[in-house]
Amino acid sequence: MTSTPKHRNTRSQPTAWALAALGLLSACSSPAPQTPASPWSAQQLGLQAAAGSEIAADWWTTWGDARLQGLIRQALQDHPNMQQAQARVRRMQAAAGMAEAASLPQVGLGADFSRQRYSANGLFPKPIAGNTWSNDTLQISLGWSPDLWGEHAAATAAAVGQARAAEAEAAMASQMLAAQILRSSIGLARLLAQHEVSTQLIELRTSAQSLVRQRQEAGLDTRIERAQSDATLAELQAQHHALQEQIALNRHQLAVLCGLPPQALQDYAPRLDSFALAPLPTQLGADLLGRRPDVVAARWRAEAAQQQIHVARTQFYPSVSLGAFAGYNALGTEHLLEAGSRQYGIVPALRLPLFEGGRLKAQLAGREAERDAAVAQYNQAVLDAVREAADAIRSSEGAAQQATDQTSALNSASQAWRLAEQREQAGLGNHLSVLGTHAAMLAQQRAAIDLQARQLDVRVQLVRALGGGWSAEALALASR
């Protein structure tokens, strides 16, 4: 009873020594790891340790009117760009599923049925020779490649990283689309407000032209003043027509951004006072790097590239695969399921690359270069993210200060207009002076409209630069 185990141990020793020798050879053939490029930290970027301002995930629902919010919701679902992004996510998720399946046992069932006449002068003797037989096989097979060196786990991690990067990029696409729709709507509201002021200016200049003509006919003004008045009115009319063209083009752009035909929003007329300014953040926190979808996507791609290096290194080691089959094979269908037609076996395999002409080393070097490039792309992404956020904060502060100054200028122009009216009523001034101060006030109002729209525009850019309420933690929870 004790001799059998000893006999088995004696026979297994050469196999164990062979495996150990193969592992040693493969370890010697594998090149030493290279020093990888390092990603930039939040401290290197000058970000504060504390978290920045919180932004709601659906931040755009507080901007604009109900129709605009409905357009954004529809665009985030039906726009071709969003459909493409979601298709890329599904493709990457499918690739991750394929990578995970490679580490699991594979079971297959096969059935082959053929009918053949065998040569009477061939290799097969009678009664097979010279007769027609059915050659049938019914077999189940099992295959498995154990993950000895972590190749399958690394390949799965790389594929999952690429899938999560695609999900983050899809979130970035939705943030970009919502921001573009809002900015286009703000631009349309600005143009419509400018169009209203332009209409008032043309009416004023038309009245002023009539007065100048009367004064010129009465000998109070020369043809110079009349020509100047005509030129001013013509310039305003040209600007008015340009505004009408820009309004039409902006509506076309907004409709296409919403995934609609260009003529679908001809009646849409947003107003600047329907948009609310989001609060300014007091600082840029380190959490910015986890709230920017493009930064998170770059990080996932860098980590996936690191996993691909591990996959490339496992190619230097021996690979083992185990297979087994069991079933029936018979000449003649009537004998297929008989006990004598049974067949089964095992198919273990061991493969070790001994000489590849430098192919594996070149493949590993390529993977390491891809990893360094991915890390460099990540570093560039974080630099761009911090710069965009800092620029948007500074632009928001600058636009707010300019709007305050412009409000003072508008108030002064309004006061001058009221004083001109009072002088006219008191008989100390003429109506032409009133029209002039009114036109000056409207010009200041046009500047105020531009600054109000710019405040809204840069605030939208700021919200998008801060990640728009998205977070890497939310992506991780959704992926579980």
Side-chain angles (χ1 to χ4, degrees), residues 95-96 98-104 144-160 303-321 351-353 359-360 363 367:
M98 292 176 61
E100 184 178 6
S103 62
L104 301 176
W144 179 49
S145 297
D147 195 11
L148 299 178
W149 319 110
E151 175 187 3
H152 296 160
T156 300
V160 169
E303 294 180 1
Q306 181 64 41
Q307 295 295 334
Q308 290 291 356
I309 292 177
H310 185 80
V311 174
R313 286 191 173 277
T314 61
Q315 304 303 308
F316 291 89
Y317 306 145
S319 62
V320 177
S321 62
R351 294 178 177 83
L352 172 67
R359 180 181 63 85
L360 295 181
Q363 178 177 276
R367 293 300 187 187

Side-chain angles (χ1 to χ4, degrees), residues 294-306:
D294 53 340
V295 171
V296 174
R299 188 188 73 199
W300 276 114
R301 295 200 186 282
E303 294 180 1
Q306 181 64 41

